[in-house]
Amino acid sequence: MPAPPRPAGRPGIPPGSIALVVNGGLMRGLRAHARLTGAGAVFLGEVQTAPVFRLWSIEDRFPGMMRAEAGGASIAAELYAIPHAGFAAVLESEPDGLCVGRVALADGTSPLGVLAEPRLVQGREEITAHGGWRAYLRAKGIHPL
């Protein structure tokens, strides 16, 4: 599978910051969002991934998203500009098994984003068909905070 394109001069990313795609608890209105804003992140907009990802629920606490060889879908996410120092602080507080990698977006860019290591999703409920973490929480009647 070819590597996704790297972002080139993505608009809205100030000097000293990077673009970050989040797809779970760090999104607006969810339990860990304050960690993101507390690190100086600025919301740039809702985004959709390219249709090459799969999503799992990790004990209904947070999602795990991985790039798929087959069976991928477009997943709802959010894009932020986050200062370099804040980026490290946010990532250090993420649950074990979540990591950073390039997330191919529907617009053809591939900013950094939160992904899952394969070991994290083994034996977990796949929720790709919901199209995103918020939709899954709504479908299950789970309060997001």
Side-chain angles (χ1 to χ4, degrees), residues 13-19 39 81-91 112:
I13 307 301
S17 294
I18 60 170
I82 185 167
H84 289 126
F87 177 73
V90 167
L91 295 181
L112 294 176

Side-chain angles (χ1 to χ4, degrees), residues 35-125:
R35 283 193 286 127
L36 194 58
T37 56
V42 175
F43 176 72
L44 298 177
E46 294 180 359
V47 293
Q48 289 290 132
T49 70
V52 295
F53 291 93
R54 292 171 69 185
L55 195 66
W56 288 264
S57 173
I58 312 304
E59 299 175 358
D60 287 348
R61 292 184 11 245
F62 58 91
M65 185 173 79
M66 288 180 48
R67 191 174 181 102
E69 292 291 325
S74 181
I75 304 296
E78 292 180 350
L79 180 66
Y80 289 82
I82 185 167
H84 289 126
F87 177 73
V90 167
L91 295 181
E92 288 174 352
S93 63
E94 283 293 275
D96 182 45
L98 293 180
C99 58
V100 174
R102 295 277 174 194
V103 175
L105 296 179
D107 69 3
T109 62
S110 293
L112 294 176
V114 179
L115 297 169
E117 296 176 0
R119 67 178 173 84
L120 184 64
V121 303
Q122 291 176 348
R124 306 294 184 172
E125 177 184 4

